[in-house]
């Protein structure tokens, strides 16, 4: 079976994790600090904070913004549940909007129509690693008519003085927008290092700060405190001679990254350019093969100002029903190739359906979803395995359509 997305674990990963284990320091400490510095340098921002997931990153962002009951946060209808679940946890309402046909990302027009005096933030998702339209989002929230609706309710919101733009950058570490890596466009961006992601720490995430109105060093410190119960010193600082005393300044969360995770991340980051190059080659091989097929709608992964991180190769089959797409997936699996669907739209999930969201309100999301099949992409997928995947998909599609 060709798996969908196995992690790359080799002697280098094992040696770095062993080093952390043997050091005796396994929770947040020197390796996490080093990983944060290297990550910030790679992204091209001054500071990032490492956490145990992208979900935790988004939760801390909403917490910092003071988002609460009665507020609205706009999210795309086509994303992983984490994007909306964090809004629910903040006590606010996720306002789902439809997405683009060409790149699966949040539709700027749909965002415009969804803004109300309760809107406090927009979470854009860089689906598949292809950045959302950040210039357009920044312009939109600054338009006089839109900005006049904004109703700041705390000092952070007053200082920001507009709707916040948050990136769910779970897929897009290393993607480029207007010549800069993702992390430099939204006010804050949350990256995922989950096991299936391009760059993994087993579980993990990081938030990159990009707010002129606030010091990123202070934000990093603030988020560290929020990620550790509101405690003013982490275990490593407390462990220094005579430094046991600490305070708790808020009822914070518990979502810090450990040095074991950071050890994996340090190895992954060091070879990430190489990883991206291989993923790009695989995307191009798929693109080359499927563009020749009249039934295929191939994904967008580069344009004049955007380059993907090549996270998910999201193929679509033209004029297909959801049922037939599912048969194609079953047939591909029978040919020993694991494929996937990204994503079951939020409004089709029981929890959100029960809350009154209906897929009929997001027609483009459904059109994209019903036709979509995600193909395997990972560093050590060989050229001959890529051929096997292509043949399995082509044969399965042509048996069904
Ligand atoms: C679009 C999107 N957002 C958020 C997440 C959550 O990431 P994490 O598992 O690191 O919390 C994922 C993970 O699959 C995702 O695909």
């Amino acid at each position: 079976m060709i798996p969908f997305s196995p992690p790359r674990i080799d002697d280098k990963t094992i040696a770095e994790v062993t080093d952390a284990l043997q050091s005796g320091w396994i929770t947040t400490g020197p390796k996490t600090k080093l990983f944060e510095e290297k990550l910030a340098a790679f992204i091209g921002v001054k500071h990032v904070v490492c956490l145990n997931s992208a979900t935790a990153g988004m939760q801390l962002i909403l917490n910092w913004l003071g988002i609460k009951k009665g507020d609205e946060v706009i999210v795309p209808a086509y994303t992983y549940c984490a994007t909306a679940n964090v809004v629910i946890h903040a006590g606010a309402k996720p306002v789902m909007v439809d997405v683009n046909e060409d790149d699966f990302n949040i539709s700027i027009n749909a965002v415009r129509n969804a803004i109300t005096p309760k809107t406090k933030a927009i979470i854009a998702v860089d689906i598949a690693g292809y950045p959302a339209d950040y210039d357009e989002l920044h312009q939109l929230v600054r338009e006089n008519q839109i900005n006049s609706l904004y109703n700041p309710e705390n000092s952070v919101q007053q200082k920001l003085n507009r709707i916040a733009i948050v990136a769910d950058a779970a897929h897009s570490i290393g993607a480029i927008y207007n010549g800069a890596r993702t992390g430099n466009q939204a006010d804050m961006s949350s990256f995922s290092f989950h096991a299936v992601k391009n760059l993994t720490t087993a579980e993990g995430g990081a938030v990159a700060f990009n707010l002129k109105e606030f010091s990123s060093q202070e934000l990093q410190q603030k988020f560290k405190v929020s990620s550790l119960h509101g405690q003013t010193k982490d275990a490593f600082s407390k462990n220094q001679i005579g430094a046991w005393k600490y305070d708790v300044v808020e009822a914070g969360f518990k979502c810090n990254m450990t040095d074991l995770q950071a050890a994996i991340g340090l190895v992954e980051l060091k070879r990430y350019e190489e990883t991206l190059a291989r993923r790009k080659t695989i995307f191009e091989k798929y693109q080359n093969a499927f563009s020749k097929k009249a039934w295929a709608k191939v994904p967008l992964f580069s344009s004049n100002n955007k380059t993907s991180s090549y996270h998910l190769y999201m193929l679509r089959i033209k004029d297909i029903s959801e049922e037939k797409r599912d048969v194609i997936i079953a047939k591909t699996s029978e040919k020993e190739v694991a494929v996937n669907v990204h994503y079951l739209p939020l409004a089709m999930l029981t929890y959100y359906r029960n809350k009154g969201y209906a897929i009929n309100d997001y027609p483009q999301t459904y059109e994209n979803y019903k036709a979509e099949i995600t193909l395997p992409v990972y560093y050590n997928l060989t050229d001959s395995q890529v051929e096997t995947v292509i043949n399995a998909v082509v044969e399965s599609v042509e048996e069904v359509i």
Side-chain angles (χ1 to χ4, degrees), residues 46-60:
K46 287 196 184 125
H47 297 92
V48 307
V49 64
C50 279
L51 302 163
N52 68 6
S53 68
T55 306
M58 290 191 283
Q59 200 72 66
L60 291 189

Side-chain angles (χ1 to χ4, degrees), residues 53-55 58 79-80 82-83 125 168 170-171 192 194 197 204 343:
S53 68
T55 306
M58 290 191 283
T79 180
Y80 183 58
T83 323
V125 183
D168 176 340
H171 299 176
S192 175
H194 175 268
K197 297 297 190 286
Y343 286 95

